[in-house]
């Protein structure tokens, strides 16, 4: 049989925003003003919709019969939005994470670009495709416009020159609606042209007198410690090639100073720096430090921006006018005109892993991007993830250590307070209250850590035993006092706080356990003359709320800071002298094999907030399990010793980083349906692995640790291999086999490669 379509023609292979795991081939536009390049956006008909796609390849053959091929409607960018290196990384990531390529591009593009808008308004150029057409077509079009003299006039204007800016057209007296009309007739096209890369930032920083300032940074009057200097030298040794570094040092050891010196080196060479941080809201200090240190434009990309601000920041990164780009997870995909260095601060943080849709790890992709764009990558943390420690021990990353020398203080030791069988007042032991009092009386700042927001984790009835449970989840509803409601922290449902037991109507309702709101009112009663400042997601909802709180604490006034893990991230509290961790026992017995790792990171990070400046800090950890090996290790050893020991256990159990995992998650409104599909998937996986002789094992299917959430039953199948390549091969086959299966109504499945969170 002759092949359907071998005649040579230029075709575009396009990533389309759709859940389908494939690209689609299109013919060029009929009157193409200029060809699309790989990395340009195009407007295409897709089914009955019109969507914005990204060209991933130019091809001359396709499996689709030519007569079925559709045409691109318009090429939206005159130049690729993404450089080849970044485009290839996105394509690679779609394959690695088994995510539809269109969803990958959707995650990588600012909303406005996804919607087909131009890069920035002033970069729009208008032109007519007729320029290239023959005279005959032109005459026909002129004739067709006989009754629309204004349109004809505009068309003639467009024909007179290669292209016009929107401003020029407006100046000539034609409005935007007129342009749109002509565009709909196929007689005008709008393209986005990147301005010729602006003179690089290092040259554009003119002083008031007009003189150019070449030095990109205001060098701080600090003498680096020997270890910092060595780290800076190592990172800068080969500034134009990929090298991976783990910068390992406790809070306050001077990591940020090392980042900034390494960035200075790159900026001086005219290259850009991309810095990823866990949560921008929590790192105003870091941004402020960068902005005051560097004279080049520093842009921050975060969720607080509106779409035009985001697009503007993105554009400045892409055209090279911004020198430093600092952002959260998705900022990793920001194109850089001149990539210099990539830094991932607090690399152990869970927020670098996207938990839905395109489930990528920004930390892992950062390393891939560094390779692709030939730049050093620095992963920094006081509590490195086990994956990163393992990579360092394999020699994949250079392990740079910063001892706690800048603060010249020993590490605050973690004191365990055994609360088994001890009387507690609202969750506080005698010892903890006593110590708080001592520090408060000395006018110091204290931090109390509870990893639970709300007033109390559950409402119970003392008469009949009723508990506040969510109807849609297997979980308790949390009691909130301000405003008074019961809330499910898993699905977001909330209801009024009952006064009487909904089951037996008695008035013996009581809260059980402790949340931040309850602790706040308790502490305020205990310490009426000291401000108690609560920091959790509820207290910091407003845009400036967190900043205000942090500024207040920075002022140094005596206070008790009380809050959740938000306090463990990024922000430094130089005046803290006491940290009390009320309860971290949950992590000891977690269903997740990373439970202990995460608990150790959290405790170490929270503990690290104490004793930053000249004052020594104390750390108390209340526990029911004082003899537990993990707590003993955290109390008596360093995080490094703890992690080394835990890594040995992971090796014995063949768990990451010594094995690689993928989690197939299935959710359905009917438990039966979810279990049924999971069994099918497990069977297919088993067969595929056997056929291909791949060393891939399965665990499950089994109910997810939280069996029901938001009204859906959840089942999971864990797939594991000690060989990453084999797991990858297997997943490709598995997805290809699962994709065509017609799913029962309201059942969906997803695959999480390198899952971080097993629940
Ligand atoms: P980290 O990022 O590891 O928490 P930072 O870089 O923020 O540490 O440093 C902590 C504090 O120590 C900052 O106030 C910083 O200015 C200061 N610092 C860092 N390096 C030095 C140095 N070599 N000499 C004096 N102070 C330093
Ligand atoms: Zn009751
Ligand atoms: Zn719920």
């Amino acid at each position: 049989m002759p092949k359907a379509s071998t005649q040579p023609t230029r075709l575009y292979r396009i990533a389309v925003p759709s859940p389908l795991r494939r690209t689609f081939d299109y013919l060029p536009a009929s009157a193409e003003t200029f060809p699309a390049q790989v990395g340009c956006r195009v407007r295409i008909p897709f089914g009955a919709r019109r969507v914005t796609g990204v060209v991933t390849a130019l091809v001359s053959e396709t499996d689709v019969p030519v007569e079925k091929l559709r045409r691109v409607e318009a090429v939206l960018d005159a130049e690729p939005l993404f450089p080849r290196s970044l485009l290839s990384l996105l394509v690679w990531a779609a394959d690695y994470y088994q995510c539809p390529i269109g969803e990958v591009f959707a995650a990588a593009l600012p909303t406005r670009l996804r919607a087909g808008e131009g890069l920035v308004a002033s970069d729009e150029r208008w032109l007519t495709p007729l320029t290239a057409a023959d005279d005959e077509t032109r005459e026909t079009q002129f004739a067709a416009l006989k009754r629309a003299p204004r349109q004809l006039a505009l068309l003639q204007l467009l024909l007179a020159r290669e292209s016009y800016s929107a401003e020029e057209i407006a100046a000539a007296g034609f409005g935007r609606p007129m342009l749109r009309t002509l565009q709909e007739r196929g007689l005008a096209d709008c393209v986005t042209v990147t301005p010729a890369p602006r003179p690089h930032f290092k040259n554009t920083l003119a002083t008031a007198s007009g003189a150019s300032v070449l030095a990109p940074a205001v060098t701080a009057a600090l003498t680096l410690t020997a270890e910092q200097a060595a780290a800076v030298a190592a990172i800068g040794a080969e500034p134009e090639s990929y090298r991976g570094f783990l910068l390992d040092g406790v809070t306050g050891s001077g990591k940020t100073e090392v980042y900034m010196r390494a960035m200075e080196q790159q900026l001086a060479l005219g290259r850009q720096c991309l810095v990823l941080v866990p949560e921008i809201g929590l790192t105003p200090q870091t941004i402020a430090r960068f902005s005051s240190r560097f004279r080049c434009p520093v842009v921050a990309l975060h969720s607080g921006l509106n779409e035009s601000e985001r697009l503007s920041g993105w554009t400045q990164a892409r055209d090279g006018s911004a020198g430093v780009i600092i952002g959260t997870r998705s900022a990793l995909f920001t194109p850089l005109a001149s990539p210099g260095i990539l830094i991932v601060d607090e690399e152990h943080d869970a927020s670098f892993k996207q938990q839905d849709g395109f489930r990528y790890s920004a930390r892992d992709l950062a390393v891939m991007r560094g390779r692709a764009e030939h730049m050093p990558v620095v992963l920094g943390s006081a509590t490195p993830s086990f994956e990163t420690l393992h990579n360092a021990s394999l020699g994949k990353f250079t392990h740079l250590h910063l001892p706690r020398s800048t603060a010249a203080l020993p590490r605050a030791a973690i004191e365990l307070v055994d609360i088994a069988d001890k009387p507690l007042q609202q969750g506080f032991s005698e010892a903890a209250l006593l110590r708080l009092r001592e520090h408060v009386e000395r006018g110091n700042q204290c931090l109390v850590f509870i990893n639970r927001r709300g007033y109390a984790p559950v409402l119970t009835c003392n008469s009949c035993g009723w508990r506040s449970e969510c109807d849609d989840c297997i979980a308790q509803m949390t009691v909130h006092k301000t405003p008074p409601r019961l809330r499910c922290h898993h699905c977001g449902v909330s209801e009024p706080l009952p006064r009487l037991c909904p089951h037996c109507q008695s008035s013996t309702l009581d809260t059980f356990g402790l949340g931040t709101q309850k602790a706040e009112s308790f502490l305020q009663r205990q310490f009426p003359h000291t401000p108690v400042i609560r920091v959790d997601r509820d207290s910091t909802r407003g845009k400036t709320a967190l900043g205000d709180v942090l500024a207040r604490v920075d002022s140094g006034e005596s206070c008790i800071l009380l809050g959740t893990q938000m306090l463990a991230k990024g922000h430094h509290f130089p005046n803290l002298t006491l940290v009390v961790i009320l309860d971290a026992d949950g992590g000891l017995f977690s269903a997740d094999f990373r439970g202990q790792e995460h608990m150790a990171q959290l405790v170490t990070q929270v503990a690290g907030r104490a004793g930053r400046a000249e004052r020594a800090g104390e750390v108390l950890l209340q526990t029911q399990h004082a003899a537990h090996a993990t707590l003993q290790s955290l109390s008596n050893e360093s995080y490094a010793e703890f992690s080394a020991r835990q890594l040995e256990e992971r090796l014995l159990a063949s768990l990451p980083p010594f094995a690689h995992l993928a989690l197939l998650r299935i959710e359905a409104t009917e438990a039966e349906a979810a279990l049924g599909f999971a069994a099918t998937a497990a069977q297919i996986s088993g067969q595929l692995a056997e056929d291909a002789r791949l060393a891939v094992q399965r665990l499950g299917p089994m109910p997810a640790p939280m069996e029901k959430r938001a009204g859906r039953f959840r089942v999971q199948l864990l797939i594991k291999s000690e060989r990453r390549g084999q797991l990858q091969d297997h997943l490709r086959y598995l997805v290809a086999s699962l994709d065509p299966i017609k799913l029962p109504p309201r059942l969906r499945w997803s695959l999480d490669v390198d899952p971080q969170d097993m629940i």
Side-chain angles (χ1 to χ4, degrees), residues 308-639:
S308 71
E309 290 167 331
R310 180 185 307 279
L311 182 54
S312 152
W314 198 88
T315 308
Q316 289 177 56
R318 179 178 171 279
D319 69 22
S321 48
V324 175
I325 297 92
I326 168 163
T328 42
R329 184 174 62 222
S330 66
L332 174 72
F333 303 118
T334 315
L336 299 175
S338 173
I341 188 168
L342 217 164
I343 292 164
V344 183
D345 191 27
E346 311 285 359
E347 67 84 34
H348 64 278
D349 196 272
S351 74
F352 289 120
K353 179 75 160 69
Q354 167 90 23
Q355 301 288 6
D356 51 21
F358 175 26
R359 295 173 171 79
Y360 63 97
S361 156
R363 185 226 354 199
D364 295 349
L365 287 183
V367 173
M368 297 303 289
R369 182 167 180 182
R371 280 182 204 283
E373 299 196 321
H374 312 293
M375 58 176 155
V377 176
V378 183
L379 308 181
S381 178
T383 52
S385 65
F386 288 7
E387 277 82 2
T388 297
L389 284 172
H390 182 56
N391 280 330
S393 75
L394 293 178
K396 290 188 189 169
F397 300 149
T398 306
H399 199 155
L400 304 168
H401 294 273
L402 295 183
R404 197 191 172 83
S405 50
T406 59
L409 280 173
R411 180 177 80 101
I414 298 175
E415 251 175 85
L416 299 180
V417 178
D418 186 348
I419 53 166
D421 311 318
K422 298 261 166 60
L424 297 179
Q425 283 186 68
Q426 308 274 22
F428 286 81
S429 62
E430 197 77 26
L433 285 173
L434 202 68
R435 200 73 65 88
L436 278 167
R437 193 163 309 274
E438 278 171 32
H439 282 256
V440 163
E441 277 168 7
R442 272 186 253 146
N444 292 347
Q445 292 187 337
C446 307
L447 186 156
V448 175
F449 174 81
I450 318 174
N451 213 4
R452 200 178 280 129
R453 65 194 172 91
Y455 186 77
V458 68
L459 187 68
T460 56
C461 171
N462 288 334
S463 308
C464 74
W466 172 88
R467 301 169 78 83
S468 57
E469 274 163 4
C470 176
D471 288 340
D472 293 331
C473 306
I474 298 187
Q476 295 169 342
M477 302 270 276
T478 305
V479 182
H480 283 245
K481 276 282 161 80
T482 43
R485 287 190 85 76
L486 284 177
R487 277 178 201 286
C488 174
H489 288 180
H490 302 282
C491 69
V493 154
S494 81
E495 52 191 59
L497 199 58
R499 284 168 186 281
L500 300 176
C501 170
H503 186 245
C504 73
Q505 316 305 323
S506 87
S507 58
T508 55
L509 290 179
D510 208 353
T511 57
F512 191 80
L514 186 70
T516 46
Q517 295 176 357
K518 195 191 234 178
E520 180 185 22
S521 52
F522 172 72
L523 284 174
Q524 198 60 85
R525 268 180 279 126
Q526 293 288 312
F527 303 100
H529 306 298
T530 305
V532 175
I533 304 174
R534 175 164 65 90
V535 176
D536 58 27
R537 248 191 301 144
D538 301 309
S539 75
T540 54
R541 262 185 224 291
K543 241 187 174 176
T544 58
L546 183 61
D548 294 348
V549 168
L550 299 180
R552 188 166 167 201
V553 179
D554 286 343
S555 76
E557 73 170 314
S558 171
C559 66
I560 299 176
L561 192 60
L562 162 83
T564 58
Q565 59 184 0
M566 287 179 91
L567 292 176
K569 294 192 188 187
H571 201 86
H572 303 156
F573 302 102
N575 300 308
L576 275 186
T577 53
L578 173 67
V579 169
V580 176
I581 301 170
L582 281 190
D583 176 15
D585 287 348
L588 294 176
F589 307 102
S590 163
D592 189 333
F593 70 89
R594 285 195 183 84
Q596 311 222 3
E597 176 186 348
H598 290 159
M599 192 202 75
Q601 287 164 345
L602 190 62
V603 167
T604 310
Q605 292 283 348
V606 174
R609 308 294 121 180
R612 290 278 327 248
E614 323 65 51
R615 312 182 196 204
E618 295 177 342
V619 182
L620 295 191
L621 193 159
Q622 296 192 157
T623 175
Q624 308 265 4
H625 307 277
H628 194 288
T630 292
L631 293 181
Q632 283 297 328
S633 163
L634 281 176
S635 162
N636 300 317
E637 305 177 328
S638 65
Y639 178 81

Side-chain angles (χ1 to χ4, degrees), residues 222-225 228 249-259 289 345 402 406 572 612:
L222 287 179
T223 313
L224 294 184
T225 62
Q228 283 176 318
V250 299
T251 314
S253 60
K255 295 187 295 296
T256 309
E257 189 58 41
V258 170
Y259 300 152
R289 267 171 90 182
D345 191 27
L402 295 183
T406 59
H572 303 156
R612 290 278 327 248

